[in-house]
Amino acid sequence: MTADSTTADSDPLAALLAARRGTAFFSRAVQDLDDSNLDDPSALDGWVRRDIVAYVGSQARRMAELVAIARTGDEMPQWNPLSRCDIIYAATLPAVALRNLHAHAAVHLNVEWRELDTATWNRTVATPQGIVTLDELTWNRAHTVWFGAVGLGAADDGTVPKEVWARPVSGPHLFRRD
């Protein structure tokens, strides 16, 4: 389901900048991890580093699908939200495949964003948490990649841009900073 919406504080360029910078930061952190360190505990209670990489990569895949739905206006009734089972399955991938999942999904999401025109940024998509704008979805992605970097031990509150923490998190998201 897509619709057009306008929000007073919508700023797609700022959202994209935060998400793309966060993705670059997270990607460097993932590449800096030795394969054996993927199974180490993370800074997120109950998650190992491999889980975080699996979540961030899988979320990019799902978000790319949502952005494509908004861009094309197509209905996708069989769209499935990301579940803990998806993350557990992705986390079983060998280290190189897990890194590739993240890298390829991030590129796919970036391509979908690139294809959006100004009017399309005002569209909304239905998520299990409710209707969100593409701008909100992009801020959600920024939050995910930066919080993922914190979970990997590569960033802290001082590293993460203040505007990322200042935005409320909406849409599909497992990481919460409440």
Side-chain angles (χ1 to χ4, degrees):
M1 176 179 140
T2 63
D4 289 336
S5 172
T6 56
T7 57
D9 63 347
S10 179
D11 187 357
L13 293 178
L16 278 171
L17 182 63
R20 287 175 171 157
R21 284 183 176 165
T23 298
F25 192 94
F26 182 82
S27 295
R28 282 190 302 274
V30 169
Q31 290 308 315
D32 288 346
L33 287 174
D34 289 330
D35 290 356
S36 61
N37 296 130
L38 285 169
D39 294 314
D40 290 347
S42 75
L44 304 178
D45 193 33
W47 293 65
V48 296
R49 291 172 172 174
R50 163 182 302 283
D51 296 335
I52 293 171
V53 178
Y55 174 64
V56 171
S58 298
Q59 186 214 44
R61 247 190 203 165
R62 291 298 202 270
M63 283 191 172
E65 292 172 2
L66 284 174
V67 173
I69 290 167
R71 181 177 51 77
T72 62
D74 292 341
E75 293 287 335
M76 193 170 175
Q78 296 301 319
W79 184 80
N80 294 313
L82 185 61
S83 72
R84 184 72 176 139
C85 290
D86 295 323
I87 298 162
I88 291 168
Y89 177 75
T92 66
L93 293 170
V96 69
L98 187 59
R99 285 184 170 86
N100 285 337
L101 166 66
H102 161 65
H104 290 259
V107 168
H108 181 200
L109 178 57
N110 202 43
V111 167
E112 290 297 340
W113 281 332
R114 185 190 65 215
E115 296 299 316
L116 296 174
D117 58 27
T118 305
T120 309
W121 277 101
N122 291 327
R123 291 191 178 160
T124 58
V125 291
T127 71
Q129 291 78 16
I131 304 295
V132 298
T133 65
L134 291 181
D135 183 58
E136 290 173 301
L137 203 66
T138 306
W139 278 111
N140 179 295
R141 180 64 181 168
H143 187 275
T144 296
V145 291
W146 281 107
F147 200 70
V150 170
L152 293 179
D156 57 30
D157 281 350
T159 311
V160 179
K162 289 179 178 64
E163 64 271 15
V164 172
W165 286 153
R167 299 288 301 203
V169 178
S170 58
H173 205 288
L174 290 181
F175 296 156
R176 295 280 180 197
R177 185 177 185 263
D178 299 332

